[in-house]
Amino acid sequence: MASSGFKMKRLNKGYVISEIGSCEDADIVIPSEFVGVPVIGIGEKAFADLINVTSVEIPSSVRFIEDDAFSGCTELKSITIPDSVTDLGEGVFSMCARLETVRLSRRLRTIRKNTFENCDSLKQLVIPQSVTELEDWCICDCSSLSAVALPKTLEVIGEGVFSDCVSLKNFVVPGCVESIGKFAFSGCEALSRILIPASVMRIGYGLLHECEALKRIYYAGTKEDWDEIAIDDKCPYPEEDFSAPSYTILFYSEKEPYEKGHFWHYGENGKIATW
């Protein structure tokens, strides 16, 4: 049964929930219609800072969710965003400290700024195959996050996207990514291995700052390809020390190379192996 008591705002094509109103449900079920008219959206900060909400069910009538809609819902544990949703605003789940399970719409093109910032209980996250961009800081400070499935369609990883995700240990950047923003993995102190594809053309400053466990970068191209990447070496905060840890870059070689250097390939089991 759908929850009731919400404050609504009328748009041309339907209603948008603007505030929680008199609803006191812990397990919220968003109605698909209101007075016979579709509910098409969840407004900015509509459910922000509600500490009693544990789950939210969203109907397929909803097309968009605005900025900070569920920000600060510290007891929210699970949510499914239906495929009808094509736009998810900034900071929608920021500061949702107990959020464990999220299923995202398969029609999203972008994960916007601060969407999952400080979701400390989130251990795994699957980004849909429709997504091409991860905006700045969208998954940062998720202290329990240890596994992220990224789509093959991804082209841009923004600034600080995975910064301070201290449980990430291994990371494979998808093969279509062209740009990785500054501080994207800064503070990932458990990160010991990262694979960067040859598709990458730009790398921002401080990419691996404070990644103290990192010993090797596996690059899926040649040394010549690596030298062509536009790597930003200009510190945006000159008064700070953003020196990177000491690591070795290994270059991909399908066959065992004759020259000396650091090289890797895929072994018989499909796992990374060094020559």
Side-chain angles (χ1 to χ4, degrees):
M1 183 177 179
S3 301
S4 60
F6 305 118
K7 289 187 178 181
M8 299 283 192
K9 179 174 64 176
R10 181 65 194 265
L11 299 181
N12 288 336
K13 296 183 179 180
Y15 279 97
V16 175
I17 296 177
S18 59
E19 292 182 39
I20 186 68
S22 61
C23 179
E24 297 181 352
D25 295 350
D27 298 307
I28 291 178
V29 179
I30 304 294
S32 59
E33 60 179 39
F34 179 69
V35 294
V37 179
V39 174
I40 60 171
I42 300 174
E44 182 177 353
K45 297 184 178 180
F47 298 98
D49 300 319
L50 296 178
I51 61 173
N52 67 313
V53 175
T54 57
S55 69
V56 180
E57 183 178 325
I58 301 173
S60 58
S61 62
V62 173
R63 302 176 188 175
F64 60 88
I65 300 174
E66 295 183 343
D67 296 354
D68 302 305
F70 299 98
S71 176
C73 290
T74 54
E75 297 299 316
L76 180 63
K77 295 181 179 179
S78 66
I79 192 166
T80 294
I81 307 300
D83 291 339
S84 58
V85 174
T86 58
D87 190 13
L88 197 63
E90 296 181 5
V92 168
F93 302 112
S94 64
M95 311 298 289
C96 290
R98 297 274 182 97
L99 187 63
E100 298 175 352
T101 306
V102 180
R103 190 271 190 191
L104 294 171
S105 167
R106 291 175 292 184
R107 296 177 64 193
L108 296 175
R109 298 284 292 174
T110 302
I111 305 300
R112 301 199 185 279
K113 293 179 180 179
N114 309 104
T115 297
F116 295 104
E117 181 181 9
N118 286 114
C119 290
D120 290 331
S121 298
L122 195 62
K123 296 180 179 180
Q124 299 180 350
L125 184 62
V126 177
I127 303 297
Q129 291 295 321
S130 56
V131 171
T132 60
E133 181 178 3
L134 301 179
E135 288 190 353
D136 299 350
W137 313 100
C138 66
I139 313 175
C140 67
D141 291 289
C142 294
S143 60
S144 298
L145 189 67
S146 60
V148 184
L150 296 179
K152 297 178 181 178
T153 52
L154 189 64
E155 297 175 359
V156 177
I157 297 175
E159 179 180 344
V161 168
F162 297 103
S163 66
D164 295 313
C165 289
V166 295
S167 296
L168 280 179
K169 294 182 179 180
N170 297 299
F171 200 93
V172 177
V173 178
C176 286
V177 171
E178 298 178 357
S179 176
I180 306 176
K182 58 180 177 285
F183 305 117
F185 296 93
S186 175
C188 293
E189 58 188 35
L191 187 67
S192 60
R193 186 170 71 177
I194 185 170
L195 191 154
I196 296 177
S199 59
V200 171
M201 297 185 292
R202 293 176 297 278
I203 293 178
Y205 184 86
L207 177 70
L208 300 165
H209 170 60
E210 291 186 335
C211 294
E212 301 303 332
L214 185 68
K215 301 303 179 186
R216 291 178 171 181
I217 293 177
Y218 295 85
Y219 177 61
T222 65
K223 170 94 170 41
E224 291 72 24
D225 294 332
W226 179 266
D227 291 339
E228 290 296 318
I229 298 175
I231 300 177
D232 183 6
D233 59 359
K234 185 177 181 181
C235 179
Y237 312 106
E239 69 280 4
E240 301 287 343
D241 179 16
F242 289 108
S243 56
S246 177
Y247 52 74
T248 300
I249 301 174
L250 286 79
F251 302 100
Y252 179 75
S253 179
E254 185 176 355
K255 297 180 179 179
E256 187 172 3
Y258 293 107
E259 68 269 32
K260 293 182 179 180
H262 302 281
F263 300 95
W264 69 277
H265 66 108
Y266 289 108
E268 293 182 0
N269 57 3
K271 295 183 178 181
I272 291 176
T274 58
W275 287 114

